[in-house]
Amino acid sequence: MSGITVEAARLMEALPEEDKMFAYEFIKKLVMAWDPDFTKVTNEEAVKIEAAEKSGYVSSDDVDWENIGTDG
């Protein structure tokens, strides 16, 4: 988590509960306006994705277990 994110969370902790909810809803609206279908990635996520793609790891979800070892 970036330093500014940690600082924002720390500042929100100081607010009364009602104001915390207002801040949360405001942040949620900002995120939804920026990425309404949650398909964008942060710089940190992009680095992790690139590392995973280069690692050679294959998810078990990507394996066709029904046809393993066959031509089909």
Side-chain angles (χ1 to χ4, degrees), residues 31-43 45-46 49:
V31 170
M32 292 302 292
W34 174 71
D35 187 10
D37 55 2
F38 292 97
T39 57
K40 295 180 184 178
V41 296
T42 64
N43 291 339
E45 290 169 328
I49 290 169

Side-chain angles (χ1 to χ4, degrees), residues 5-68:
T5 304
V6 172
E7 179 65 11
R10 189 187 68 73
L11 290 170
M12 281 184 63
E13 268 305 303
L15 296 173
E17 199 61 36
E18 184 177 313
D19 292 337
K20 284 180 190 177
M21 288 307 299
F22 173 81
Y24 168 77
E25 291 299 327
F26 180 74
I27 292 168
K28 189 165 78 170
K29 283 183 180 185
L30 285 174
V31 170
M32 292 302 292
W34 174 71
D35 187 10
D37 55 2
F38 292 97
T39 57
K40 295 180 184 178
V41 296
T42 64
N43 291 339
E44 184 179 314
E45 290 169 328
V47 168
K48 289 179 180 180
I49 290 169
E50 183 178 358
E53 288 173 343
K54 291 180 178 179
S55 74
Y57 172 80
V58 177
S59 170
S60 65
D61 294 338
D62 294 333
V63 176
D64 182 359
W65 295 103
E66 299 290 322
N67 295 303
I68 200 159

